Amino acid sequence: SQQGEEDPQALSIQEGENATMNCSYKTSINNLQWYRQNSGRGLVHLILIRSNEREKHSGRLRVTLDTSKKSSSLLITASRAADTASYFCATDGETSGSRLTFGEGTQLTVNP
Amino acid sequence: GAGVSQSPRYKVAKRGQDVALRCDPISGHVSLFWYQQALGQGPEFLTYFQNEAQLDKSGLPSDRFFAERPEGSVSTLKIQRTQQEDSAVYLCASTPRRIKKNQPQHFGDGTRLSIL
């Protein structure tokens, strides 16, 4: 069963706007990762944030982590049509060992 | 290789048939994972190898599912007596070293399995 839940399930925006996706999880984690998946393709790693970090940036991506609320957010700034994809958060935790536990994903559509 | 390679990309089988899905991880990668992704859902963990040793198979849904990695490189996921609920995309991922915290996984494009 999935421990992560993304919110919203689907998001449609115009090019140039910012997109924010949220993720919640249930158990203690070592780190949280965000992945992107284009239709019919595998997952591509975007960014990893450790449990002792609160915010991380990579290019147009900003990730926050609130371990007290067991939640994370992914912000994509100045979105482009090419950002259209599904975005998943994934956690690995003290009790889950090596496996990643994925949320159900947010389908982002960026309209040109 | 340049990336994780999975074959076939698409597989259609009749209910009750056996299927075998192949994963070629990135050359030299020690750890290999299999995930199952149902339509519209996130991937779910199936099993994990470190070299040829299958260290975690707790995600395999039934004894009809079997995975192996006999020489510590290529892996095969076999599903016996397939059922319609086995229809999904099967993803393979690898990492360069023994799994440790804070490592991203490198995914293949998956095999889309359809059971008729």
Side-chain angles (χ1 to χ4, degrees), chain B residues 6-62:
Chain B
Q6 293 188 244
S7 60
R9 287 281 282 122
Y10 304 92
K11 176 69 178 177
V12 180
K14 292 182 179 178
R15 187 161 54 95
Q17 289 183 329
D18 298 348
V19 298
L21 313 179
R22 176 187 170 105
C23 172
D24 281 87
I26 294 172
S27 179
H29 276 201
V30 168
S31 298
L32 184 146
F33 303 81
W34 284 97
Y35 293 87
Q36 180 190 59
Q37 185 176 25
L39 188 64
Q41 302 292 314
E44 292 205 13
F45 171 82
L46 293 176
T47 187
Y48 156 60
F49 290 85
Q50 183 177 296
N51 295 308
E52 69 278 3
Q54 189 175 19
L55 298 187
D56 186 350
K57 56 181 181 179
S58 60
L60 296 176
S62 77

Side-chain angles (χ1 to χ4, degrees), chain B:
Chain B
V4 178
S5 177
Q6 293 188 244
S7 60
R9 287 281 282 122
Y10 304 92
K11 176 69 178 177
V12 180
K14 292 182 179 178
R15 187 161 54 95
Q17 289 183 329
D18 298 348
V19 298
L21 313 179
R22 176 187 170 105
C23 172
D24 281 87
I26 294 172
S27 179
H29 276 201
V30 168
S31 298
L32 184 146
F33 303 81
W34 284 97
Y35 293 87
Q36 180 190 59
Q37 185 176 25
L39 188 64
Q41 302 292 314
E44 292 205 13
F45 171 82
L46 293 176
T47 187
Y48 156 60
F49 290 85
Q50 183 177 296
N51 295 308
E52 69 278 3
Q54 189 175 19
L55 298 187
D56 186 350
K57 56 181 181 179
S58 60
L60 296 176
S62 77
D63 58 8
R64 297 185 297 103
F65 286 70
F66 172 77
E68 61 183 3
R69 194 186 185 198
E71 298 178 358
S73 55
V74 171
S75 177
T76 303
L77 176 67
K78 298 178 180 177
I79 309 173
Q80 297 177 322
R81 305 181 303 282
T82 53
Q83 300 178 4
Q84 284 193 318
E85 61 261 31
D86 299 335
S87 296
V89 175
Y90 290 84
L91 295 165
C92 177
S94 67
T95 61
R97 295 176 294 279
R98 284 189 180 86
I99 193 66
K100 63 174 190 178
K101 301 168 187 178
N102 310 325
Q103 264 193 90
Q105 296 185 10
H106 302 264
F107 282 81
D109 284 339
T111 294
R112 181 175 297 275
L113 176 64
S114 298
I115 305 300
L116 305 179

Side-chain angles (χ1 to χ4, degrees), chain A residues 28-60:
Chain A
S28 297
I29 62 170
N30 293 317
N31 65 66
L32 186 143
Q33 304 178 39
W34 284 90
Y35 286 81
R36 163 198 171 121
Q37 185 178 37
N38 284 59
S39 180
R41 304 298 300 274
L43 283 80
V44 174
H45 179 260
L46 295 176
I47 194 165
L48 180 152
I49 185 165
R50 302 182 186 193
S51 59
N52 61 355
E53 297 176 314
R54 293 295 165 260
E55 187 171 313
K56 200 162 183 179
H57 297 253
S58 176
R60 293 185 296 114

